[in-house]
């Protein structure tokens, strides 16, 4: 079906993959994840029962023992009777970008953006990013560059070099002003 695994980096090498500890993996398919910058929340797609249909997006919280638990469905503002996949949480955890075949998709998977409403602790209704970012084909897996200036996503659009090609969006997609600070040192 599909489970989420983790490898730990040690210098220039990585450990053997280990199944993610906690309640994220189920007997059904799990995959496509994004972790918050503080590494306390894990956003992921799952086909587990009890959702709104197909694959839904969920969030899990890191427990004191470093296992992932308290798995919650992101609700019917984000999830539809169709598939949702490929979540990306912004560095400040205030913007969620994901792919959906539902909402007002213009065809197959489209990229959508939703803001976090701190007043009532919920996600606002997602907005379709529209053409030219979305096409009638699959548009998925948005990620942000480390400097926050560019976004990258995968698409099967006409004119590409293969099945899934990587495209760049500059400036990066956002609905709120984000502040990213990078500190290097020892």
């Amino acid at each position: 079906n599909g489970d989420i695994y983790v490898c730990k980096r040690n210098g220039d090498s990585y450990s053997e993959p280990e199944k993610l500890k906690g309640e994220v993996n189920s007997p059904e398919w799990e995959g496509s994840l994004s972790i918050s910058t503080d590494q306390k929340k894990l956003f992921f797609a799952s086909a587990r029962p009890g959702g709104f249909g197909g694959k839904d997006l969920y969030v899990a919280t890191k427990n004191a023992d470093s296992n992932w638990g308290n798995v919650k469905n992101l609700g019917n503002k984000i999830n539809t009777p169709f598939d949702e996949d490929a979540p990306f949480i912004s560095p400040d955890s205030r913007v969620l970008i994901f792919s959906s075949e539902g909402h007002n998709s213009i065809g197959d998977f489209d990229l959508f953006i939703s803001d976090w409403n701190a007043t009532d602790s919920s996600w606002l209704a997602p907005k379709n990013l529209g053409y030219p970012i979305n096409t009638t084909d699959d548009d998925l897996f948005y990620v942000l560059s480390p400097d926050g200036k560019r976004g990258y996503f995968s698409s099967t659009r006409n004119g590409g070099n293969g099945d899934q090609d990587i495209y760049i969006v500059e400036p990066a997609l956002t609905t709120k002003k984000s502040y990213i600070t990078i500190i290097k040192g020892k």
Side-chain angles (χ1 to χ4, degrees):
N1 284 322
D3 284 321
I4 297 173
Y5 284 75
V6 64
C7 295
K8 294 181 181 161
R9 185 176 173 180
N10 185 8
D12 291 335
S13 63
Y14 288 89
S15 67
E16 290 294 317
E18 294 178 20
K19 195 178 274 193
L20 190 69
K21 294 180 179 159
E23 302 168 8
V24 170
N25 290 317
S26 75
E28 302 302 320
W29 177 90
E30 277 81 33
S32 302
L33 67 92
S34 181
I35 191 165
S36 62
T37 304
D38 64 5
Q39 299 186 7
K40 293 182 181 178
K41 289 189 178 183
L42 182 77
F43 295 81
F44 66 100
S46 175
R48 65 185 60 208
F52 292 91
K55 296 179 205 169
D56 279 4
L57 298 184
Y58 292 81
V59 63
T61 307
K62 193 176 224 178
N63 299 323
D65 63 1
S66 294
N67 290 337
W68 294 95
N70 195 26
V71 174
K72 292 183 180 172
N73 187 294
L74 292 186
N76 64 356
K77 283 187 186 171
I78 300 296
N79 294 304
T80 70
F82 302 96
D83 283 342
E84 278 69 43
D85 200 355
F88 173 79
I89 190 69
S90 65
D92 59 9
S93 297
R94 298 185 314 158
V95 177
L96 177 69
I97 299 175
F98 64 98
S99 295
S100 176
E101 291 179 316
H103 299 289
N104 56 344
S105 172
I106 60 175
D108 293 336
F109 279 103
D110 279 358
L111 288 164
F112 290 84
I113 191 165
S114 177
D115 289 321
W116 178 250
N117 183 353
T119 305
D120 69 358
S121 297
S122 70
W123 292 102
L124 297 176
K127 296 175 188 158
N128 187 310
L129 294 174
Y131 183 83
I133 293 170
N134 288 320
T135 65
T136 56
D137 295 309
D138 284 332
D139 305 296
L140 298 133
F141 303 111
Y142 180 85
V143 295
L144 187 65
S145 65
D147 62 8
K149 293 180 180 177
R150 291 169 306 285
Y152 301 91
F153 68 97
S154 171
S155 181
T156 57
R157 65 189 61 208
N158 290 331
N161 292 316
D163 185 26
Q164 289 278 326
D165 292 317
I166 298 172
Y167 294 85
I168 187 169
V169 177
E170 198 169 18
L173 305 172
T174 188
T175 56
K176 294 183 176 182
K177 179 95 171 143
S178 289
Y179 299 96
I180 300 173
T181 303
I182 301 173
I183 300 173
K184 293 183 180 181
K186 293 182 181 182

